[in-house]
Amino acid sequence: MAAASDSSDDDRRFLRRTALVLTSLVALWLLWQLSGPLLLAFGAVIVAVLLRTIADPIAERTPVPDGGAVVIAALTVVALLAAAIWLFGSVIANQTRELVQRLPSSAAELQSMVVSWPFGEQIAQLDSSSLMGGAGGIVGRVGGYALTTLGVATSLVLLIVAGVFLAASPRTYRDGLIVLFPPDRRAGLREAADTTGRALKAWLTGQLVDMLVVGVLTGVGVALIGLPSPLALGLIAGLLAFVPIIGAIAGAIPGLLLAAQGGWELMAWTLLVYVIVQQVEGNLIYPFIQKRAVELPPVLTMFGILAFGALFGFAGVLVAAPLLVVLFVNVRLLYLRRTLGEDISVPGEAGKPPGRKVRAASSSRPRRPRRSPEE
């Protein structure tokens, strides 16, 4: 009887483990199939974080209710965009149009410009189709990422509307998701969600400042060396700075292609401008910002962007950095501190700077008391 009972228990355990494995595989398959909507939902979270970054100080310092503060934050963003378009819209539009017209339109045109440079004949002998033409080249890959105008407009509308709703009542959506988990896990998950939100807010604030600085420095630099369309080039560099590391490289390509038409001297000066801007940004501005935000390891950031880009395409590249912030915070809080009991700092904790360590008092695994030498 005892042997039969043990065999029955083993069968039940095997069936439970098999069911768990199958459920996990099905969940991963569903996540993969729904990666597009999930990335769009995460983009709405970023919009909500941006609105809450503006709304929280308003709600704290004024008698305006929380929902009214979110409305004021949304109107503030719209007003800033409208003012920027009114002040610089026509200039930027004209310079962008001029920039597109000036850029080399084919590999043959780029090759003819390169021939006049030092060692230009050797460079021109390279397979330029891999750079400019063909579906397998860089332009072909970028073109493959392009969406239709209707699709982009629809995604932006969904992104903004969902972000406003999330910003208006974030606790409702947080608690609605956490209630799906067992009761003994909910307190820890609620803390992790709040900490992740604060870390995303700090990261986004620092990233916006960094984008502004890169855009201004790039625009001023290319204007000083006489490159056309400085406002458009500064805008492109600033926007692409949202993607760390890779965005800096992509932001320099339009300026270098434009400078190539003026000869190798202008291209050398342009390259120098972009290098100086990136050195100032990488060694002075970005570290100062990240000390007050989330300090992601550079190698982790670079390979994370490449991995998310390979998995999800261009949308994965855009949201790779904030996704890494979410993973970074939750691994340190839920795994390293709560599971392993490590005494480790977690970005985004309330009332604690990002670099300060906090003891794992709430760790689920108790520490063993140290034995005295007499024992």
Side-chain angles (χ1 to χ4, degrees), residues 214-295:
V214 169
V216 171
L217 290 180
T218 302
V220 172
V222 296
L224 289 176
I225 63 173
L227 202 63
S229 308
L231 281 178
L233 292 173
L235 179 63
I236 292 172
L239 291 176
L240 291 176
F242 182 80
V243 181
I245 302 174
I246 296 178
I249 300 173
I253 292 176
L256 292 174
L257 289 176
L258 185 61
Q261 303 179 36
W264 68 269
E265 296 94 343
L266 182 59
M267 191 170 184
W269 280 108
T270 304
L271 179 62
L272 180 62
V273 167
Y274 280 103
V275 169
I276 291 175
V277 170
Q278 294 309 317
Q279 288 299 312
V280 172
E281 184 262 349
N283 295 313
L284 297 179
I285 301 166
Y286 196 73
F288 176 77
I289 292 172
Q290 292 303 304
K291 284 181 181 179
R292 299 180 176 272
V294 182
E295 192 169 358

Coordinates of all heavy atoms in Angstrom, one line a residue, residues 214-295:
V214 N 22.4 67.2 -26.3 CA 23.0 66.7 -27.6 C 22.4 67.5 -28.8 O 23.2 67.9 -29.7 CB 22.7 65.2 -27.7 CG1 23.0 64.7 -29.1 CG2 23.4 64.4 -26.7
G215 N 21.1 67.8 -28.8 CA 20.6 68.5 -29.9 C 21.1 69.9 -30.1 O 21.5 70.3 -31.2
V216 N 21.2 70.6 -28.9 CA 21.7 72.0 -29.0 C 23.2 72.0 -29.4 O 23.6 72.8 -30.2 CB 21.5 72.7 -27.6 CG1 22.2 74.0 -27.5 CG2 20.0 72.8 -27.3
L217 N 24.0 71.1 -28.7 CA 25.5 71.1 -29.0 C 25.7 70.7 -30.5 O 26.6 71.3 -31.2 CB 26.2 70.2 -28.1 CG 26.3 70.6 -26.6 CD1 27.0 69.5 -25.8 CD2 27.0 71.9 -26.5
T218 N 25.0 69.8 -31.0 CA 25.2 69.4 -32.4 C 24.8 70.5 -33.4 O 25.5 70.8 -34.3 CB 24.3 68.1 -32.7 OG1 24.7 67.1 -31.8 CG2 24.5 67.7 -34.1
G219 N 23.6 71.1 -33.1 CA 23.2 72.2 -34.0 C 24.2 73.4 -34.0 O 24.5 73.9 -35.0
V220 N 24.7 73.8 -32.8 CA 25.6 74.9 -32.7 C 26.9 74.5 -33.4 O 27.6 75.3 -34.1 CB 25.9 75.2 -31.3 CG1 27.0 76.2 -31.1 CG2 24.6 75.8 -30.6
G221 N 27.4 73.2 -33.2 CA 28.7 72.8 -33.8 C 28.6 72.8 -35.3 O 29.6 73.3 -35.9
V222 N 27.6 72.2 -35.9 CA 27.6 72.1 -37.3 C 27.4 73.5 -38.0 O 27.8 73.8 -39.1 CB 26.5 71.1 -37.8 CG1 26.9 69.7 -37.4 CG2 25.1 71.5 -37.4
A223 N 26.7 74.4 -37.2 CA 26.5 75.8 -37.7 C 27.8 76.5 -37.7 O 28.1 77.3 -38.7 CB 25.5 76.5 -36.9
L224 N 28.7 76.3 -36.7 CA 30.0 76.9 -36.7 C 30.9 76.5 -37.8 O 31.7 77.3 -38.3 CB 30.7 76.7 -35.3 CG 30.0 77.3 -34.1 CD1 30.7 76.9 -32.8 CD2 30.0 78.9 -34.2
I225 N 30.8 75.3 -38.3 CA 31.7 74.9 -39.4 C 31.1 75.1 -40.7 O 31.7 74.8 -41.8 CB 32.1 73.4 -39.2 CG1 30.8 72.5 -39.4 CG2 32.8 73.1 -37.9 CD1 31.1 71.0 -39.4
G226 N 29.9 75.7 -40.8 CA 29.3 76.1 -42.0 C 28.5 75.0 -42.7 O 28.2 75.1 -43.9
L227 N 28.0 74.0 -42.0 CA 27.2 72.9 -42.6 C 25.8 73.4 -42.7 O 25.3 74.0 -41.8 CB 27.3 71.6 -41.7 CG 27.0 70.3 -42.4 CD1 28.1 70.0 -43.5 CD2 27.0 69.2 -41.4
P228 N 25.2 73.1 -43.9 CA 23.8 73.5 -44.0 C 22.8 72.8 -43.1 O 23.1 71.8 -42.5 CB 23.5 73.2 -45.5 CG 24.8 73.0 -46.1 CD 25.7 72.5 -45.1
S229 N 21.6 73.4 -42.9 CA 20.5 72.8 -42.1 C 21.0 72.4 -40.7 O 20.8 71.3 -40.3 CB 20.0 71.6 -42.8 OG 19.6 71.9 -44.2
P230 N 21.5 73.4 -39.9 CA 22.0 73.0 -38.6 C 20.8 72.7 -37.6 O 20.9 71.8 -36.8 CB 22.7 74.3 -38.1 CG 22.2 75.4 -38.9 CD 21.8 74.8 -40.2
L231 N 19.7 73.4 -37.8 CA 18.5 73.1 -36.9 C 18.0 71.7 -37.1 O 17.7 70.9 -36.2 CB 17.4 74.1 -37.1 CG 17.6 75.4 -36.4 CD1 16.4 76.3 -36.7 CD2 17.7 75.3 -34.9
A232 N 17.9 71.3 -38.4 CA 17.4 69.9 -38.7 C 18.4 68.9 -38.2 O 18.0 67.8 -37.7 CB 17.2 69.8 -40.2
L233 N 19.7 69.1 -38.4 CA 20.7 68.1 -37.9 C 20.7 68.0 -36.4 O 20.9 66.9 -35.9 CB 22.1 68.5 -38.5 CG 22.3 68.4 -40.0 CD1 23.6 68.9 -40.4 CD2 22.2 66.9 -40.4
G234 N 20.6 69.2 -35.7 CA 20.5 69.1 -34.3 C 19.3 68.4 -33.8 O 19.3 67.6 -32.8
L235 N 18.1 68.6 -34.5 CA 16.9 67.9 -34.1 C 17.0 66.4 -34.3 O 16.6 65.6 -33.4 CB 15.7 68.5 -34.9 CG 14.4 67.8 -34.7 CD1 13.9 68.1 -33.3 CD2 13.3 68.3 -35.7
I236 N 17.6 66.0 -35.4 CA 17.8 64.6 -35.6 C 18.7 63.9 -34.6 O 18.4 62.9 -34.0 CB 18.3 64.3 -37.0 CG1 17.3 64.7 -38.1 CG2 18.8 62.9 -37.2 CD1 17.8 64.7 -39.5
A237 N 19.8 64.6 -34.3 CA 20.7 64.1 -33.3 C 20.1 64.0 -31.9 O 20.3 63.0 -31.1 CB 22.0 64.9 -33.2
G238 N 19.3 65.1 -31.6 CA 18.7 65.1 -30.2 C 17.6 64.0 -30.1 O 17.5 63.3 -29.1
L239 N 16.8 63.8 -31.1 CA 15.8 62.7 -31.1 C 16.4 61.4 -31.0 O 15.9 60.5 -30.2 CB 14.8 62.9 -32.3 CG 13.9 64.1 -32.3 CD1 13.1 64.1 -33.6 CD2 13.0 64.1 -31.1
L240 N 17.4 61.1 -31.8 CA 18.0 59.8 -31.8 C 18.8 59.5 -30.6 O 19.1 58.4 -30.3 CB 18.9 59.6 -33.0 CG 18.2 59.6 -34.4 CD1 19.2 59.5 -35.5 CD2 17.3 58.3 -34.4
A241 N 19.2 60.5 -29.8 CA 19.8 60.3 -28.5 C 19.0 59.6 -27.5 O 19.5 59.2 -26.5 CB 20.3 61.7 -27.9
F242 N 17.7 59.5 -27.8 CA 16.8 58.7 -26.9 C 17.3 57.2 -26.8 O 17.1 56.6 -25.8 CB 15.4 58.7 -27.4 CG 14.4 58.0 -26.6 CD1 13.9 58.6 -25.4 CD2 13.9 56.7 -26.9 CE1 12.9 57.9 -24.6 CE2 13.0 56.1 -26.1 CZ 12.5 56.7 -25.0
V243 N 17.9 56.7 -27.9 CA 18.5 55.4 -27.9 C 19.9 55.5 -27.5 O 20.7 56.0 -28.3 CB 18.3 54.7 -29.2 CG1 18.9 53.3 -29.2 CG2 16.8 54.7 -29.7
P244 N 20.4 55.1 -26.3 CA 21.8 55.3 -25.9 C 22.7 54.5 -26.9 O 22.4 53.5 -27.5 CB 21.8 54.7 -24.5 CG 20.4 54.7 -24.0 CD 19.5 54.5 -25.3
I245 N 23.9 55.1 -27.0 CA 25.0 54.5 -27.8 C 24.7 54.4 -29.3 O 25.3 55.1 -30.1 CB 25.4 53.1 -27.2 CG1 25.8 53.2 -25.7 CG2 26.6 52.5 -28.0 CD1 26.0 51.9 -25.0
I246 N 23.8 53.6 -29.7 CA 23.5 53.4 -31.1 C 22.9 54.7 -31.7 O 23.1 55.0 -32.8 CB 22.6 52.2 -31.3 CG1 23.3 50.9 -30.8 CG2 22.1 52.1 -32.7 CD1 22.5 49.7 -30.9
G247 N 22.1 55.4 -30.9 CA 21.5 56.6 -31.4 C 22.5 57.7 -31.8 O 22.3 58.4 -32.7
A248 N 23.6 57.7 -31.0 CA 24.6 58.7 -31.3 C 25.3 58.4 -32.7 O 25.6 59.3 -33.4 CB 25.7 58.6 -30.2
I249 N 25.5 57.1 -33.0 CA 26.0 56.8 -34.3 C 25.1 57.1 -35.4 O 25.4 57.7 -36.4 CB 26.4 55.3 -34.3 CG1 27.4 55.0 -33.2 CG2 27.0 54.9 -35.7 CD1 27.8 53.5 -33.0
A250 N 23.8 56.7 -35.2 CA 22.8 57.0 -36.3 C 22.6 58.5 -36.5 O 22.3 58.9 -37.6 CB 21.5 56.3 -35.9
G251 N 22.7 59.3 -35.4 CA 22.5 60.7 -35.5 C 23.6 61.4 -36.3 O 23.3 62.5 -36.8
A252 N 24.7 60.8 -36.4 CA 25.8 61.4 -37.1 C 25.8 61.1 -38.6 O 26.4 61.9 -39.4 CB 27.2 60.9 -36.5
I253 N 25.1 60.1 -39.0 CA 25.1 59.7 -40.4 C 24.5 60.8 -41.4 O 25.2 61.1 -42.4 CB 24.3 58.4 -40.6 CG1 25.0 57.3 -39.9 CG2 24.1 58.1 -42.1 CD1 24.3 55.9 -39.9
P254 N 23.4 61.5 -41.1 CA 22.9 62.5 -42.0 C 23.9 63.7 -42.2 O 24.2 64.2 -43.3 CB 21.6 63.0 -41.4 CG 21.2 61.9 -40.5 CD 22.4 61.3 -40.0
G255 N 24.6 64.1 -41.0 CA 25.5 65.2 -41.1 C 26.8 64.8 -41.9 O 27.3 65.6 -42.7
L256 N 27.2 63.5 -41.8 CA 28.4 63.1 -42.5 C 28.1 62.9 -44.0 O 28.9 63.3 -44.8 CB 28.9 61.8 -41.9 CG 29.5 61.9 -40.5 CD1 29.8 60.5 -40.0 CD2 30.7 62.7 -40.5
L257 N 26.9 62.4 -44.3 CA 26.5 62.3 -45.7 C 26.4 63.7 -46.4 O 26.8 63.9 -47.5 CB 25.2 61.6 -45.9 CG 25.3 60.1 -45.6 CD1 23.9 59.4 -45.6 CD2 26.2 59.3 -46.5
L258 N 25.9 64.7 -45.6 CA 25.8 66.0 -46.2 C 27.1 66.7 -46.3 O 27.4 67.3 -47.3 CB 24.9 66.8 -45.2 CG 24.6 68.3 -45.6 CD1 23.8 68.3 -46.9 CD2 23.7 69.0 -44.5
A259 N 28.0 66.4 -45.4 CA 29.4 67.0 -45.5 C 30.2 66.4 -46.6 O 31.1 67.0 -47.1 CB 30.1 66.9 -44.1
A260 N 29.9 65.1 -46.9 CA 30.6 64.5 -48.0 C 30.6 65.2 -49.3 O 31.5 65.1 -50.1 CB 30.1 63.0 -48.2
Q261 N 29.5 66.0 -49.5 CA 29.4 66.7 -50.8 C 30.3 67.9 -50.8 O 30.6 68.5 -51.9 CB 27.9 67.2 -50.9 CG 26.9 66.1 -50.9 CD 25.5 66.6 -51.1 OE1 25.2 67.6 -51.8 NE2 24.6 65.9 -50.4
G262 N 30.8 68.4 -49.6 CA 31.7 69.5 -49.6 C 33.2 69.1 -49.6 O 34.0 70.0 -49.4
G263 N 33.5 67.8 -49.7 CA 34.9 67.4 -49.7 C 35.3 66.8 -48.4 O 34.6 66.8 -47.4
W264 N 36.5 66.2 -48.4 CA 36.9 65.4 -47.2 C 37.2 66.4 -46.1 O 37.1 66.0 -44.9 CB 38.1 64.6 -47.6 CG 39.4 65.3 -47.9 CD1 39.8 65.8 -49.1 CD2 40.4 65.7 -47.0 NE1 41.0 66.4 -49.0 CE2 41.4 66.4 -47.7 CE3 40.5 65.6 -45.6 CZ2 42.5 66.9 -47.1 CZ3 41.7 66.1 -45.0 CH2 42.6 66.8 -45.7
E265 N 37.6 67.7 -46.4 CA 38.0 68.6 -45.3 C 36.7 68.9 -44.4 O 36.7 68.8 -43.2 CB 38.5 69.9 -45.8 CG 39.9 69.7 -46.5 CD 39.7 69.6 -48.0 OE1 38.5 69.3 -48.4 OE2 40.7 69.7 -48.7
L266 N 35.6 69.2 -45.1 CA 34.3 69.5 -44.4 C 33.9 68.2 -43.7 O 33.3 68.3 -42.6 CB 33.3 70.0 -45.4 CG 31.9 70.3 -44.8 CD1 32.1 71.4 -43.7 CD2 30.9 70.8 -45.9
M267 N 34.1 67.1 -44.3 CA 33.6 65.8 -43.6 C 34.5 65.6 -42.4 O 34.0 65.1 -41.4 CB 33.7 64.7 -44.6 CG 33.1 63.4 -44.1 SD 32.9 62.1 -45.3 CE 32.0 60.9 -44.4
A268 N 35.8 65.9 -42.4 CA 36.6 65.7 -41.3 C 36.2 66.6 -40.1 O 36.1 66.2 -39.0 CB 38.1 66.0 -41.7
W269 N 35.9 67.9 -40.5 CA 35.4 68.9 -39.5 C 34.1 68.4 -38.9 O 33.8 68.5 -37.7 CB 35.2 70.2 -40.1 CG 36.5 71.0 -40.2 CD1 37.2 71.3 -41.3 CD2 37.3 71.6 -39.1 NE1 38.4 72.0 -41.0 CE2 38.4 72.2 -39.7 CE3 37.1 71.6 -37.7 CZ2 39.4 72.8 -38.9 CZ3 38.1 72.3 -36.9 CH2 39.2 72.9 -37.5
T270 N 33.2 67.9 -39.7 CA 31.9 67.4 -39.2 C 32.1 66.2 -38.3 O 31.4 66.1 -37.2 CB 31.0 67.0 -40.4 OG1 30.9 68.1 -41.3 CG2 29.6 66.6 -40.0
L271 N 32.9 65.3 -38.7 CA 33.2 64.1 -37.8 C 33.8 64.6 -36.5 O 33.4 64.1 -35.4 CB 34.2 63.2 -38.5 CG 34.6 61.9 -37.7 CD1 33.4 61.1 -37.4 CD2 35.7 61.1 -38.5
L272 N 34.6 65.6 -36.5 CA 35.2 66.1 -35.3 C 34.1 66.7 -34.4 O 34.1 66.5 -33.2 CB 36.3 67.2 -35.6 CG 37.0 67.8 -34.4 CD1 37.8 66.8 -33.6 CD2 37.9 69.0 -34.9
V273 N 33.2 67.4 -35.0 CA 32.1 68.0 -34.2 C 31.3 66.9 -33.5 O 31.0 67.0 -32.3 CB 31.2 68.9 -35.1 CG1 29.8 69.2 -34.4 CG2 31.8 70.2 -35.6
Y274 N 30.9 65.9 -34.2 CA 30.1 64.8 -33.6 C 30.9 64.1 -32.6 O 30.3 63.7 -31.5 CB 29.6 63.8 -34.7 CG 28.4 64.3 -35.5 CD1 28.5 64.9 -36.8 CD2 27.2 64.3 -34.9 CE1 27.4 65.3 -37.5 CE2 26.0 64.7 -35.6 CZ 26.2 65.2 -36.9 OH 25.1 65.7 -37.6
V275 N 32.2 63.9 -32.8 CA 33.0 63.2 -31.8 C 33.1 64.1 -30.5 O 33.0 63.6 -29.4 CB 34.4 62.9 -32.3 CG1 35.4 62.5 -31.2 CG2 34.3 61.9 -33.4
I276 N 33.3 65.4 -30.7 CA 33.4 66.3 -29.5 C 32.1 66.3 -28.7 O 32.1 66.2 -27.5 CB 33.8 67.7 -29.9 CG1 35.2 67.7 -30.4 CG2 33.6 68.7 -28.8 CD1 35.7 69.1 -31.0
V277 N 31.0 66.4 -29.5 CA 29.6 66.4 -28.8 C 29.4 65.1 -28.0 O 29.0 65.1 -26.9 CB 28.5 66.6 -29.8 CG1 27.2 66.3 -29.2 CG2 28.6 68.0 -30.4
Q278 N 29.8 64.0 -28.6 CA 29.6 62.7 -27.9 C 30.6 62.5 -26.8 O 30.2 61.9 -25.7 CB 29.8 61.5 -28.9 CG 28.7 61.5 -30.0 CD 27.3 61.6 -29.4 OE1 27.0 60.9 -28.4 NE2 26.4 62.4 -30.0
Q279 N 31.8 63.1 -26.9 CA 32.7 63.0 -25.7 C 32.2 63.9 -24.6 O 32.2 63.5 -23.4 CB 34.1 63.5 -26.2 CG 34.8 62.5 -27.1 CD 35.1 61.2 -26.4 OE1 35.5 61.1 -25.3 NE2 34.7 60.1 -27.1
V280 N 31.7 65.1 -24.9 CA 31.2 65.9 -23.8 C 29.9 65.3 -23.2 O 29.8 65.2 -22.0 CB 30.8 67.3 -24.4 CG1 30.0 68.2 -23.4 CG2 32.1 68.1 -24.8
E281 N 29.1 64.7 -24.1 CA 27.8 64.1 -23.5 C 28.2 62.8 -22.8 O 27.6 62.6 -21.7 CB 26.9 63.8 -24.7 CG 25.6 63.2 -24.3 CD 25.6 61.7 -24.5 OE1 26.5 61.1 -25.0 OE2 24.6 61.1 -23.9
G282 N 29.1 62.0 -23.3 CA 29.4 60.7 -22.6 C 30.2 60.8 -21.4 O 30.0 60.0 -20.5
N283 N 31.1 61.8 -21.3 CA 32.0 61.9 -20.1 C 31.6 63.0 -19.1 O 32.1 62.9 -18.0 CB 33.4 62.2 -20.7 CG 34.0 61.1 -21.5 OD1 33.9 59.9 -21.1 ND2 34.5 61.4 -22.7
L284 N 30.8 63.9 -19.5 CA 30.5 65.0 -18.5 C 29.0 65.0 -18.2 O 28.6 65.0 -17.0 CB 30.9 66.4 -19.1 CG 32.4 66.6 -19.4 CD1 32.6 67.9 -20.0 CD2 33.2 66.4 -18.1
I285 N 28.1 65.1 -19.2 CA 26.7 65.3 -19.0 C 26.0 64.0 -18.6 O 25.3 63.9 -17.6 CB 26.1 65.9 -20.3 CG1 26.7 67.2 -20.6 CG2 24.6 66.0 -20.1 CD1 26.4 67.7 -22.0
Y286 N 26.2 62.9 -19.4 CA 25.5 61.7 -19.1 C 25.8 61.1 -17.8 O 24.9 60.7 -17.0 CB 25.7 60.7 -20.2 CG 24.8 59.5 -20.3 CD1 23.5 59.7 -20.7 CD2 25.2 58.3 -19.9 CE1 22.6 58.7 -20.8 CE2 24.3 57.2 -19.9 CZ 23.0 57.4 -20.4 OH 22.1 56.4 -20.4
P287 N 27.1 61.0 -17.4 CA 27.3 60.4 -16.0 C 26.7 61.3 -14.9 O 26.2 60.7 -13.9 CB 28.9 60.5 -15.9 CG 29.3 60.4 -17.3 CD 28.3 61.2 -18.1
F288 N 26.7 62.6 -15.0 CA 26.1 63.4 -14.0 C 24.6 63.2 -13.9 O 24.0 63.1 -12.8 CB 26.4 64.9 -14.3 CG 25.7 65.9 -13.4 CD1 26.2 66.1 -12.1 CD2 24.5 66.5 -13.8 CE1 25.5 67.0 -11.2 CE2 23.9 67.4 -12.9 CZ 24.4 67.6 -11.6
I289 N 24.0 63.0 -15.1 CA 22.5 62.7 -15.1 C 22.2 61.4 -14.5 O 21.3 61.2 -13.7 CB 22.0 62.8 -16.5 CG1 22.0 64.3 -17.0 CG2 20.6 62.3 -16.6 CD1 21.7 64.5 -18.5
Q290 N 23.0 60.4 -14.9 CA 22.8 59.0 -14.4 C 23.0 58.8 -13.0 O 22.4 57.9 -12.4 CB 23.6 58.0 -15.2 CG 23.2 57.9 -16.7 CD 21.8 57.5 -16.9 OE1 21.3 56.5 -16.4 NE2 21.0 58.4 -17.6
K291 N 23.8 59.6 -12.3 CA 24.0 59.5 -10.9 C 22.7 59.8 -10.1 O 22.5 59.3 -9.0 CB 25.1 60.5 -10.4 CG 26.5 60.0 -10.8 CD 27.6 60.9 -10.3 CE 29.0 60.4 -10.6 NZ 30.0 61.4 -10.1
R292 N 21.9 60.6 -10.7 CA 20.6 61.0 -10.1 C 19.5 60.2 -10.7 O 18.3 60.4 -10.3 CB 20.3 62.5 -10.3 CG 21.4 63.3 -9.6 CD 21.1 64.8 -9.8 NE 22.1 65.6 -9.1 CZ 22.0 66.0 -7.8 NH1 20.9 65.6 -7.1 NH2 22.9 66.7 -7.2
A293 N 19.8 59.3 -11.6 CA 18.7 58.5 -12.3 C 19.0 57.0 -12.1 O 19.2 56.5 -11.0 CB 18.6 58.9 -13.7
V294 N 19.1 56.3 -13.2 CA 19.4 54.8 -13.2 C 20.7 54.6 -14.0 O 20.8 54.9 -15.2 CB 18.3 54.0 -13.8 CG1 18.6 52.6 -13.7 CG2 16.9 54.3 -13.1
E295 N 21.7 54.1 -13.3 CA 23.0 54.0 -13.9 C 23.1 52.5 -14.5 O 23.5 51.6 -13.9 CB 24.1 54.2 -12.9 CG 25.5 54.3 -13.5 CD 26.5 54.8 -12.5 OE1 26.2 55.1 -11.4 OE2 27.7 54.9 -12.9

